[in-house]
Amino acid sequence: MEKNKKVILDCDPGHDDAMAIILAASGISNLKIEAITTVAGNVEVEKNTLNALKVCDILGLEDIPVAEGAERPMVKEREIAEAIHGDSGLDGPILPEVPEKQIVETHAVDLIIEKIMESDGDITLVPTGPLTNIAMAMVKNPAIVPKIKEIVLMGGGTFGNWTPAAEFNIYVDAEAAKVVFESGVPIAMFGLDVTHQAVATDSVTKELDGIGNPVSGFVVELLEFFAKTYKEVFGFDGAPIHDACTVAYLMDESIFDMRHVRVDIETKGEFAYGMTAVDTLAVTGREPNVNFAYSLDADKFWELFRKALTSYSD
Amino acid sequence: MEKNKKVILDCDPGHDDAMAIILAASGISNLKIEAITTVAGNVEVEKNTLNALKVCDILGLEDIPVAEGAERPMVKEREIAEAIHGDSGLDGPILPEVPEKQIVETHAVDLIIEKIMESDGDITLVPTGPLTNIAMAMVKNPAIVPKIKEIVLMGGGTFGNWTPAAEFNIYVDAEAAKVVFESGVPIAMFGLDVTHQAVATDSVTKELDGIGNPVSGFVVELLEFFAKTYKEVFGFDGAPIHDACTVAYLMDESIFDMRHVRVDIETKGEFAYGMTAVDTLAVTGREPNVNFAYSLDADKFWELFRKALTSYSD
Amino acid sequence: MEKNKKVILDCDPGHDDAMAIILAASGISNLKIEAITTVAGNVEVEKNTLNALKVCDILGLEDIPVAEGAERPMVKEREIAEAIHGDSGLDGPILPEVPEKQIVETHAVDLIIEKIMESDGDITLVPTGPLTNIAMAMVKNPAIVPKIKEIVLMGGGTFGNWTPAAEFNIYVDAEAAKVVFESGVPIAMFGLDVTHQAVATDSVTKELDGIGNPVSGFVVELLEFFAKTYKEVFGFDGAPIHDACTVAYLMDESIFDMRHVRVDIETKGEFAYGMTAVDTLAVTGREPNVNFAYSLDADKFWELFRKALTSYSD
Amino acid sequence: MEKNKKVILDCDPGHDDAMAIILAASGISNLKIEAITTVAGNVEVEKNTLNALKVCDILGLEDIPVAEGAERPMVKEREIAEAIHGDSGLDGPILPEVPEKQIVETHAVDLIIEKIMESDGDITLVPTGPLTNIAMAMVKNPAIVPKIKEIVLMGGGTFGNWTPAAEFNIYVDAEAAKVVFESGVPIAMFGLDVTHQAVATDSVTKELDGIGNPVSGFVVELLEFFAKTYKEVFGFDGAPIHDACTVAYLMDESIFDMRHVRVDIETKGEFAYGMTAVDTLAVTGREPNVNFAYSLDADKFWELFRKALTSYSD
Ligand SMILES: [Ca+2]
Ligand SMILES: [Ca+2]
Ligand SMILES: [Ca+2]
Ligand SMILES: [Ca+2]
């Protein structure tokens, strides 16, 4: 497959972040991964960085630079989500304690700025954690804003999972989200509405397990742990693979139904901090700024995944 | 049918408010209407009062006191919703300009206080407009709070219709809603999640039209106008009869699926003012304060309605 | 002295509220007290009502109706200030446990509405507690708004005493304050800037003690207790007689320097809830809505007080 | 004078910023200027950078690195204050269009991080503009926080000048201010309470004019323009030299009366955004985090200034 779409994966791996990377780096992917950058989110940034490096080791991604980013949100205190991803941020599979791969010295914020400024305006940012790195880059060097091709992100939704109003990624750094959503850069948003349709049920996991290569084995171990915590914390049958929706969209848009709508970020509320106010009914009169994913074709989604994992058998 | 459940209908009629009254006053109803009180909402309170009186005239409700209430919200500026209900607040049917029935002299806030204080704690309040009257009564005389049996209200939801975050009734007076939701009185809440399942489709309207008495004829004219504006403003096929859900619940609980959850009212946000933050996933750890309706059996709902309208043929 | 200015004193006595009543009812006063209404504030409304009745007993005000008002703020939870006024709300003087005088049956909110609606637009409201009653009256019957001559109130300032940003009266019910300040009624505002200049120093108290009638004796006992708590809580030498500034202004405007400015009420902030944002430098471009007292002539103020207390010797 | 206090001047020159630099670089100063960094504030950051470079040219500061910083606040939209400082940000004196001195390539945020990380914890930050650079540095590399000796800043106060509640520097980027004030770094704060006591009256300006060297001539031209706009915009007689208070404090603490108090930053309010809530009366019970300057000895302040300018005659 020709790698003709340049992306930077900005993430906090994270089970579903890992699966996004696996999809993006697979033999059937059209994405050229320019860099992987990490951010505090599910767990502390140091742990997320280790996880990113270990995933690269497993996938053999020697040449892709990994840069560590923000340890804390732009304005508010740090919050983490160990209940969901375990103490390491990627509990489940047994991984070597120390990865082979090393991070680059550049800070994630600066690597994003460098890559964008050196580009021909053809890089898509794919954030699957809090938006701190992206917003920090925009504030530090606003000249990147018109040069970002698109931001394809996991976050938000018309309902929440961390509070009744807010999804975790946006809640952790709503101020960063505000900067990004008001930047004018084209945004494709994969929120809980759609990611809750990307559930790895038992039968999905069983089918993937049949592929029988090391990467599919790794994925099955991820899914089993993730399903367990989703059962315990939220009472779900099967875990939603939130973050992988972003990469799936870049590989095959036809999996998703999208709608162009206004989305605003609440940073002031008493109960609604971190809400993405999605103007589904077009009642605000405000200019649409987001391409919002509201549903997906689950069969197509898992078929893509199956093919991607199979490609690692070669 | 024995009338053994005492209710006060606090409303801003309003097509769907009117249908709530019609249901409550029907031959198959178990509700004893202690009073009808009006509030500014869909249109100005004076218009809502006229509409309430005219509906009473049509239904022959000579003995039920109608009292006029708040002209404005407790704290914020007044907003009205003429786009939905027409200039009169009850456009569609041709009605006499001046009703026969007169209002009582008592202010709605005082009538609510009187009725509750004189009761044995057996009166249920049924607000189907902004919650201004109810909250004003609670602030003016907090002694009513422990004597209110239940508040069965239409308002809010996990999404909005007036803004992306807020439903109209709550948005118009979120401060009043905050007072009510924090009062400790048992609340049954019928928000957009469930009321958008109570849609009068063409086939429903046609069936009701077949009943062929004056009240059913009035209802059909209401539904036709209401469906037209819902089509124009929101692109809906058929109008949701929001307010009637409250009365339907009091007549037959089995129509609805309910869940006991925490609901908080956002009064501070930049984009989320008037949101009802419904803790569906039980992530807040806050004490449940609301019996929240999340779905209804549409066949049962319309069957109840059909029977209620048929009872007016006698 | 001809009593030609009609006032309603709306208060939460309170040492300085008591002194406002004493001034207003004195032989040198031009004020006709139409009613005294009470509100929850320094302590619970029941205690404030008892205190108001006892002050009336001491002053012989048999004919002035006293009505009890709001027990709680319009929207937020109740807070009280026992640290300042003692457990009874009027600690210091030894008073009979039960007053002779009785309250009228009408609720304060309704008495205010009645008096204003029956008037020729010549009644001035003088609130020296939280603004709950006044705002509730405006919301219950907006027709009073254009008939109120003026509101001469104690509250707010360019700095706070209950929080760094907010003065107690406004903080207790900022939503009520917002209603009042946005009502369009002319407002004369006596905030901490000016009331902190109305300090009863030791030498003031000693001079008043020399007057030697029962009322001056009562005042001296009030001042001694009040000075003690101001010393303990705020480290002040002498207590500021905040509330009496309102009545002093109505008796002799020349005591005060006033400026016409914009004042807005903060109801949303994290640290500034209850702030009166006084546009001293005229930087907002918003229409002035308040006649703001920024200084007083302390000699003239205490001279007025001395004469008022002396008038009780007759 | 031995230069034994290391400082980084983070500024938006700005008439009073220029005077802070002049004071810090004078012959009588004990400050070792490690760097000058610029930020968007009074005018766009590009203009502020040019002004900083030109001031360095005038003072002969070839060796001090000047780095350009943030073009916009962390979260909200950019606002500028041309009305106060003129179109160039430093109107008044006639300056060459292009400065001799050049900026370093490093971004101000990174230069601050580098200098702090390489230091022995002995560098004081002196921000006299919005706090964007400082907060961005803290978020990008939290490891600097415990290594900053102190932050001596101009901003805030118990009243505002840009809104009734907020001073300009804090208002422009209240989110950045929140990060800084909550960081735990010792802060000395020079707000409007004290800087409005540092007024260059006509007689002050005349005295400085008598010194008769190029730098004093430059200062007099700055003061004349600045006094003119303060007269026009705020009606002041003479301009307050806000920013120079920070440097004066570092050169001679005895000029100022300081108090250790709690200061919180309001980022949520409707009218109070950007307020510094100064807990003067110690009513919050929150831990003091700021050494707050509440008054200065004006004679001493101007005497220091006179000596500093005279030192440029050598
Ligand atoms: Ca993630
Ligand atoms: Ca209604
Ligand atoms: Ca008082
Ligand atoms: Ca400055």
Side-chain angles (χ1 to χ4, degrees), chain B residues 70-75 77 107 109-110 132 136 138-143 175 178-179 182 267-268 273, chain C residues 70-75 77 107 109-110 132 136 138-143 175 178-179 182 267-268 273:
Chain B
E71 290 180 45
R72 52 158 289 177
M74 286 181 87
V75 182
E77 301 284 304
H107 191 286
V109 167
D110 293 322
T132 319
M136 287 286 287
M138 288 177 169
V139 174
K140 194 180 172 205
N141 192 345
E175 279 79 12
K178 184 179 173 69
V179 169
E182 294 182 352
T267 59
K268 307 283 178 187
Y273 177 87
Chain C
E71 291 180 45
R72 52 158 288 176
M74 287 182 86
V75 181
E77 301 284 305
H107 190 286
V109 167
D110 294 321
T132 318
M136 287 287 288
M138 288 177 168
V139 173
K140 192 177 174 207
N141 192 346
E175 280 78 13
K178 184 179 171 73
V179 169
E182 293 182 353
T267 58
K268 308 282 178 188
Y273 177 88

Side-chain angles (χ1 to χ4, degrees), chain C residues 150-151 153 177-189 259-265 276-280 284-292, chain D residues 271:
Chain C
E150 191 178 9
I151 297 175
L153 65 88
K178 184 179 171 73
V179 169
V180 170
F181 278 72
E182 293 182 353
S183 68
V185 175
I187 293 173
M189 168 179 167
R259 202 184 303 177
H260 204 221
V261 297
R262 179 73 202 182
V263 179
D264 287 301
I265 307 296
T276 50
V278 183
D279 190 11
T280 316
T284 62
R286 291 167 68 88
E287 191 71 24
N289 59 338
V290 165
N291 208 12
F292 177 78
Chain D
F271 296 105

